[in-house]
């Protein structure tokens, strides 16, 4: 059986609904945490995946992605590999991007594997303007992940632009999906993946305003 790639966009972020969120946070402007609704969405993702075999989990280093991944994995003994190559399109980020050092991420999210060696970063490459400018980075990242994970089921926790870029790399079609939605690719022959479904939100109790851009 070929590999399965589960691609999930992080749940709703606090700055989507609260422009003054940084008044009570020491996180950088591009590193918004999850909103209360986002935490509920992440738990609903956990419910969806509770009976799904996950052999490898990779997450962008921003709080909203690592938090969503941690809640999804729940009590299962699965390490989370923090991979900067999965992060948001860089033109939307601070310079450098505002995710925290791996030691601080680990302190907040115990499932993080501090010994994982990223494929890209933590110092990020230069990137152009626009969501599709991250496609080369995601191609490098996916090649590295698939090179390391020869078998099994792989979960990638990413952002709007990087999820779109994953679609572009695997099937040649950049596609936006909503927050907290699930996309599934299945390997049909060596290194060739077929899209089974994209941006599925059937697990969410509230499917309004998922921001599919």
């Amino acid at each position: 059986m070929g590999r399965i790639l589960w691609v999930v966009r992080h749940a709703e972020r606090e700055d989507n609904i609260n422009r003054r969120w940084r008044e009570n946070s020491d996180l950088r402007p591009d590193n918004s945490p999850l909103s209360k609704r986002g935490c509920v969405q992440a738990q609903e993702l956990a419910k969806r995946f509770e009976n799904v075999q996950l052999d490898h989990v990779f997450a962008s280093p921003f709080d909203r992605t690592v938090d969503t991944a941690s809640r999804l994995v729940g009590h299962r003994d699965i390490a989370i590999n923090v991979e900067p190559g999965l992060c948001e399109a860089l033109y939307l980020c601070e310079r450098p991007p505002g995710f925290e050092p791996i030691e601080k991420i680990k302190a907040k999210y115990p499932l993080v594997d501090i010994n994982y060696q990223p494929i890209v970063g933590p110092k990020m490459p230069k990137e152009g303007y626009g969501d599709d400018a991250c496609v080369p980075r995601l191609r490098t990242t996916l090649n590295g992940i698939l090179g390391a994970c020869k078998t099994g089921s792989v979960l990638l926790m990413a952002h709007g632009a990087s999820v779109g870029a994953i679609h572009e790399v695997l099937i040649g079609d950049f596609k936006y999906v909503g927050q907290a939605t699930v996309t599934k690719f299945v390997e049909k022959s060596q290194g060739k993946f077929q899209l089974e479904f994209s941006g599925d939100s059937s697990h969410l109790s509230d499917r309004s305003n998922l921001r599919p851009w």
Side-chain angles (χ1 to χ4, degrees):
M1 180 178 176
R3 291 168 289 185
I4 296 173
L5 284 181
W6 297 96
V7 182
V8 179
R9 185 179 172 192
H10 64 78
E12 184 183 74
R13 43 195 283 181
E14 178 66 18
D15 64 351
N16 289 149
I17 51 96
N18 175 15
R19 293 184 178 181
R20 302 179 65 178
W21 69 276
R22 292 195 70 231
E23 294 177 4
N24 298 305
S25 175
D26 60 358
L27 295 174
R28 295 275 296 280
D30 58 347
N31 194 20
S32 172
L34 295 180
S35 66
K36 288 184 179 179
R37 181 190 184 207
C39 292
V40 171
Q41 292 173 334
Q43 292 307 127
E44 290 175 332
L45 281 165
K47 180 70 174 176
R48 173 168 185 160
F49 278 90
E50 66 181 353
N51 295 316
V52 175
Q53 175 69 30
L54 295 175
D55 300 299
H56 313 279
V57 176
F58 297 83
S60 159
F62 286 97
D63 267 53
R64 57 192 177 273
T65 37
V66 183
D67 194 358
T68 306
S70 295
R71 293 172 188 268
L72 187 156
V73 170
H75 298 295
R76 288 186 281 182
D77 186 22
I78 305 173
I80 296 175
N81 300 311
V82 171
E83 176 50 63
L86 293 172
C87 85
E88 184 61 277
L90 297 183
Y91 82 99
L92 296 171
C93 301
E94 298 285 292
R95 298 184 181 181
F99 54 80
E100 295 181 306
I102 190 64
E103 293 79 13
K104 291 190 73 172
I105 299 172
K106 170 70 173 180
K108 289 188 283 187
Y109 306 106
L111 290 175
V112 165
D113 181 0
I114 202 168
N115 296 313
Y116 171 72
Q117 296 298 308
I119 295 159
V120 176
K123 183 178 180 180
M124 301 302 290
K126 291 184 178 180
E127 214 164 81
Y129 185 87
D131 289 354
D132 60 353
C134 70
V135 170
R137 165 166 53 87
L138 267 296
R139 180 172 287 109
T140 297
T141 302
L142 279 174
N143 286 341
I145 288 173
L146 293 172
C149 303
K150 302 292 188 183
T151 61
S153 179
V154 182
L155 185 136
L156 308 176
M157 184 66 66
H159 305 261
S162 48
V163 171
I166 290 169
H167 282 75
E168 175 68 30
V169 172
L170 293 179
I171 61 170
D173 181 19
F174 193 103
K175 184 175 178 62
Y176 292 104
V177 302
Q179 292 173 329
T181 63
V182 178
T183 296
K184 183 180 181 182
F185 296 93
V186 177
E187 188 176 31
K188 294 300 183 180
S189 61
Q190 184 64 39
K192 303 295 183 182
F193 286 83
Q194 178 177 304
L195 178 64
E196 189 162 306
F197 55 80
S198 180
D200 182 61
S201 61
S202 61
H203 51 285
L204 298 176
S205 56
D206 178 4
R207 299 173 198 163
S208 64
N209 196 20
L210 297 180
R211 301 175 179 85
W213 53 81

